[in-house]
Amino acid sequence: MPVRSGEHGGFTRLVVDLPGEVAWQLDPQKEAAGYLLRFPDRGFGFDTGTVFDRIGTGRVAAVTSPTPGTLAIDLACDCVIAAQLVGQRMLAMDISAADQPEDTEAATAMPPQPDWASLPRRPDPFERLLVQELEAALPTEEERAIEQAFAEEIASAATYGLLSLNRRPAPAPAPAAPVGSSDATVAPQMHETTMEDVARMFLDRGGADRRIRLNGDRCLPETSLSIGDWGGEGSYPQQIGALRTRLTGEFDRPHPETVAALARLYLHVGFGAEARSVLDMADVPEAATLSSLARIIDDEDAGSGVFAGQAHCDTPAAMWAVLGAEPGAVPDEVNENAILNAFESLPPHLKQLLAARLSDGLHAAGATKAARSVLARVKRGIDALPPDIKLAEAQIDAPEKDVTETMAQLEEIAETAGPETSAAAVESLISLAAREDRPVAPGMTELASAYVTEYRGTEEAAKLWRAHIRALLSQVRIGEALSEIATSADIDAQTRDDMRSEVFRALVTRADDVTFLRHVVTDLRPGTADSSDQVLAAAIDRLLTLGLADEAMAAITQLDMPASDRMRQLLTARAHLGLAQPEEAELTLLGLQGDEAQALRIEARLQMGDYAYAADVYSAEGQADDLRQAAWIAGDWQRLPADGEDDPLSEAAQLAVQPTVVPDNTLSATGALADEAAQSRKTLRALLDSTALSPEAAN
């Protein structure tokens, strides 16, 4: 969220636009002179890059975001901050000296604005009156210019819905002068004009298109956005030519009304750049709205322009707000009916031009039904769907369709569409493959690489680069992915770090042993994995599974975890066992509970030769198979459970515990002894057969 600022004489203002009704709190900092603005349970980020473009450092020393959802305001003076909500989505914070009264006349938000004083103005009676009053009160030319610029900035802020007024009762009228008195006619005095009067008089000259509701809830009216009605009779070239011939009048000065009409016609046709060009010719009252429409039509607007925050409106402004939203920005409230009605009123060529983008915006906002409705409306009467419509439809239907079918559809679009739509299809295809753990065709990987080069330096570059890395990972080309990350200096550091973590996760979970061992030592280092060390811990686990206890122990020392961390203790105990250090492993496990810790503790005792301990644990937990093995090794024949007549271990155990009886010299006793010896040989033979090694294991 951008943090805006402005100087207001007696105080400095910081403004944050909220995404909706969210909880916030502003508290003094405990260890520094300043305040902390917190949004509990919300991980907002803040853009503070332009805070000091319009203010100095006399009151505010620094504005930073130490953690997600927190904005730190460091003060450079003995000041206090007063915060208030303006409407539901604007939080204004005023910084002033602790002993200075708050200026209740100030506008509640003054974001960075263009230099309105430098723009050409049309004189009107109010401005002449204002100049006369200022000349009487402020004798110098510089002071008059300051006052005039300030008044115009207030009016401009109100025009764009950024101003709310504190209403105060007007002063009681002065008593009428006696008849015949020289003061019978009194000139209007500036102190009798309220701030609301000033704003209204400035707004009146802009027409209905520039009006706002003074309660802060601003929606551009339908009459200002009826783009479907802006076309006239005859062909477009004829209409454009007729307007251009009437564009200028005496002294070659453009007529504002004709300029506006030509701009509206260009917008109706879909020529955004041409509309903006003609609007530069004259001071058109509705220029801000028309220019914003032109940028949206040309897909160049980020942040909706004058339509920001109007996705909830009952007018066509809701549709243009969704179309002009920044990539990834999702409106809190979307008026689906108003959007669909506005889309239906567009001329057919604009429907086809805007349908895919509008559908994407609605789908991102969770209005999937409305997104499908937009595509259904534009498909009427079209024999061959344009690629961008096919792409939007595939993206919406992806959760409900077979993954293989969706990937095939996206691959077809990527191979047949123009560069812009093809690049978007490649990015969608690779993202879907990554989510579903599916391989990507080599051709798509190379196409993604080509688009990374083609779109270098644009807003799409990071998404396409991320898709290229994921395509390499789908083919387990770990080395190429790491090399690409190391050489992509034009990609922002955060994106590169995120993708490096994905590469390492793929290295640990998907790469073969040779590839894993090749990169784990040279490339996997603390700080390169994600902050929880999950990747590095998984790599250590794999090293232990491969029997590389020395390398695992060395890697454990690099973990950014306290020695008491459970994961670190378990890994350390496993490494000690791999190094045949059972006593150290058992010490590491002190205080740990759970099945994994118990299994490691038993293994440590087995390495120390304490098979009786293991047998006790197995017996208590009812693990018959493990109990048989431990009791057999411990020689605890009495505890060895019988597991059927054909169990060699049980039969051998019974043989071991039978008492030795010296027979007499009778023939029958001698025969019984021979039978017993034969049975013993049979038992021992079965025992040897059950424990014999296979030829592969023996080799």
Side-chain angles (χ1 to χ4, degrees), residues 671-695:
L673 183 59
D675 293 340
E676 184 178 340
Q679 183 62 37
S680 297
R681 285 194 300 272
K682 181 180 178 181
T683 299
L684 294 175
R685 174 58 59 188
L687 181 61
L688 291 172
D689 290 342
S690 67
T691 57
L693 294 176
S694 64

Side-chain angles (χ1 to χ4, degrees), residues 320-660:
W320 297 106
V322 173
L323 283 168
E326 291 188 47
V330 178
D332 290 326
E333 182 182 352
V334 173
N335 191 329
E336 298 181 26
N337 289 333
I339 291 172
L340 293 177
N341 290 336
F343 182 76
E344 191 64 34
S345 68
L346 293 175
H349 58 275
L350 283 184
K351 285 183 182 179
Q352 186 168 330
L353 176 67
L354 302 174
R357 287 160 49 198
L358 181 59
S359 175
D360 289 342
L362 290 170
H363 182 51
T368 304
K369 183 177 179 181
R372 285 197 173 97
S373 179
V374 167
L375 297 179
R377 292 167 189 242
V378 80
K379 287 166 62 177
R380 299 171 188 163
I382 299 179
D383 295 331
L385 289 181
D388 60 339
I389 302 295
K390 290 182 180 179
L391 176 59
E393 201 169 37
Q395 291 172 333
I396 293 176
D397 294 340
E400 302 173 5
K401 292 178 64 176
D402 178 70
V403 176
T404 303
E405 181 182 353
T406 301
M407 290 181 63
Q409 187 177 4
L410 291 173
E411 188 170 339
E412 179 186 357
I413 296 172
E415 292 174 344
T416 58
E420 185 175 349
T421 303
S422 174
V426 168
E427 196 274 332
S428 295
L429 169 64
I430 295 175
S431 298
L432 176 61
R435 289 196 302 270
E436 300 294 333
D437 196 20
R438 297 288 189 94
V440 176
M444 292 296 103
T445 305
E446 302 310 319
L447 193 55
S449 177
Y451 283 134
V452 169
T453 302
E454 182 175 346
Y455 285 87
R456 193 179 304 278
T458 68
E459 294 180 355
E460 303 298 321
K463 292 195 300 184
L464 291 168
W465 180 83
R466 189 183 295 113
H468 175 50
I469 298 297
R470 286 172 175 164
L472 292 173
L473 294 183
S474 75
Q475 301 164 25
V476 201
R477 294 158 64 178
I478 304 295
E480 294 178 55
L482 289 171
S483 176
E484 182 70 26
I485 291 173
T487 57
S488 298
D490 55 326
I491 302 298
D492 66 277
Q494 183 61 52
T495 300
R496 282 188 282 117
D497 288 343
D498 292 342
M499 292 312 300
R500 188 181 290 109
S501 293
E502 285 196 32
V503 172
F504 287 146
R505 281 193 289 272
L507 171 66
V508 173
T509 60
R510 300 177 58 185
D512 59 84
D513 290 343
V514 174
T515 303
F516 169 74
L517 293 175
R518 180 184 299 124
H519 293 286
V520 70
V521 176
T522 58
D523 296 312
L524 192 56
R525 290 285 184 271
T528 58
D530 55 352
S531 59
S532 64
D533 269 338
Q534 296 295 327
V535 173
L536 192 55
I540 294 170
D541 177 82
R542 185 164 178 179
L543 286 171
L544 290 170
T545 303
L546 292 172
L548 301 174
D550 287 321
E551 290 75 8
M553 185 64 81
I556 289 172
T557 62
Q558 301 176 16
L559 283 172
D560 188 19
M561 298 177 179
S564 59
D565 184 88
R566 177 182 176 83
M567 179 183 293
R568 179 166 184 158
Q569 286 180 284
L570 293 173
L571 291 173
T572 304
R574 289 180 59 192
H576 280 307
L577 292 174
L579 295 171
Q581 299 170 347
E583 292 85 359
E584 289 82 351
E586 192 168 42
L587 289 174
T588 304
L589 295 169
L590 286 176
L592 290 185
Q593 303 297 325
D595 295 340
E596 188 174 1
Q598 185 70 297
L600 293 175
R601 195 173 284 112
I602 292 173
E603 186 176 347
R605 288 300 185 97
L606 291 175
Q607 284 192 14
M608 289 186 283
D610 189 357
Y611 298 102
Y613 173 85
D616 288 340
V617 174
Y618 292 145
S619 177
E621 296 182 357
Q623 297 175 276
D625 291 340
D626 293 327
L627 173 59
R628 290 172 61 252
Q629 184 71 19
W632 174 263
I633 298 175
D636 192 355
W637 317 115
Q638 299 294 340
R639 297 182 61 177
L640 192 67
D643 191 17
E645 297 180 355
D646 297 330
D647 179 22
L649 286 180
S650 297
E651 293 178 2
Q654 295 301 320
L655 183 64
V657 299
Q658 286 179 358
T660 301

Side-chain angles (χ1 to χ4, degrees), residues 123-154:
D124 59 26
F126 171 74
E127 290 184 2
R128 288 195 295 270
L129 174 62
L130 179 62
V131 171
Q132 292 172 4
E133 296 299 326
L134 291 177
E135 286 177 345
L138 304 173
T140 69
E141 182 178 351
E142 179 181 3
E143 290 173 323
R144 287 198 301 270
I146 291 174
E147 184 68 19
Q148 177 67 40
F150 180 65
E152 291 193 12
E153 292 230 4
I154 291 176

